[in-house]
Amino acid sequence: MTGLDPVLRALAHPLRLRMMTLMWPGPMSAAELARELDVSHALASGHLRRLDAVGLVELTEERRIRGGCERRYRAVRGAPLSEQREGALMLAGTLSHTLRERAALRAPEGEGVTTDAELWVDPQVWADVRERLAELTMELHRAARPPRTPGTARVGLTVMAFPMREDGAGGENDGDGNQDGDANEDGDANEGDEGR
């Protein structure tokens, strides 16, 4: 998997995906991200640099604090996950990891929607539903507020809807039961990591 799109590699890590979500409603610094994600400042800073290097976040402000300079970044608007087609298996692995983490935090009294489907539908129906799904997810993104804003509800959302090949053939199996493109422990694509 050499030559893998750097944007895809950056997105294929659960922590970086969470950071992108947190920075969607407004700018955050590495220190703020570290506190919210309960990770070290150094780890948050390294992941933030990776997102910045591929253009998924942008610097919005620099401010002086305690004799230093705090840089605050926000997620660049767009649909970087939907734009990734070649790395669908890798992104599915990352999304499933994130979904498991969020499901463990589900409020028992909270209402939700859960569905799974493999359906054959008219192409126009698919096009219409895909457009509505995209609009609904964007509506939630537009309504997002900074973490822990009073009066808001914390909501988890994971959606991956796509057309499937009719032949049903999947990616190549690598002999370890993994499909080509599965993410390793770091969420990056397996690239010759012999002796796992």
Side-chain angles (χ1 to χ4, degrees), residues 85-104:
R85 290 178 180 84
E86 295 300 317
L89 287 175
M90 187 177 0
L91 284 175
T94 303
L95 291 172
S96 67
H97 175 89
T98 303
L99 179 59
R100 281 191 305 272
E101 286 184 342
R102 288 182 182 147

Side-chain angles (χ1 to χ4, degrees), residues 159-180:
V159 176
M160 189 174 196
F162 46 85
M164 297 171 63
R165 294 194 312 253
E166 290 186 23
D167 62 12
E172 296 287 322
N173 191 297
D174 68 5
D176 288 336
N178 298 319
Q179 296 286 324
D180 282 349

Side-chain angles (χ1 to χ4, degrees), residues 68-109:
C69 181
E70 179 185 61
R71 291 175 179 82
R72 302 184 83 223
Y73 294 82
R74 76 174 298 149
V76 172
R77 298 299 195 242
L81 291 176
S82 292
E83 293 162 7
Q84 301 300 320
R85 290 178 180 84
E86 295 300 317
L89 287 175
M90 187 177 0
L91 284 175
T94 303
L95 291 172
S96 67
H97 175 89
T98 303
L99 179 59
R100 281 191 305 272
E101 286 184 342
R102 288 182 182 147
L105 298 172
R106 183 174 181 166
E109 70 284 354

Side-chain angles (χ1 to χ4, degrees), residues 110-167:
E111 301 248 356
V113 176
T114 302
T115 188
D116 180 63
E118 183 174 325
L119 310 167
W120 293 75
V121 298
D122 181 273
Q124 188 57 53
V125 169
W126 162 243
D128 293 344
V129 169
R130 184 196 55 75
E131 189 173 318
R132 289 199 325 261
L133 280 172
E135 181 52 39
L136 285 171
T137 60
M138 287 308 299
E139 182 180 336
L140 277 175
H141 275 92
R142 285 190 298 269
R145 299 295 171 254
R148 305 180 195 290
T149 298
T152 60
R154 186 179 185 189
V155 175
L157 174 69
T158 302
V159 176
M160 189 174 196
F162 46 85
M164 297 171 63
R165 294 194 312 253
E166 290 186 23
D167 62 12

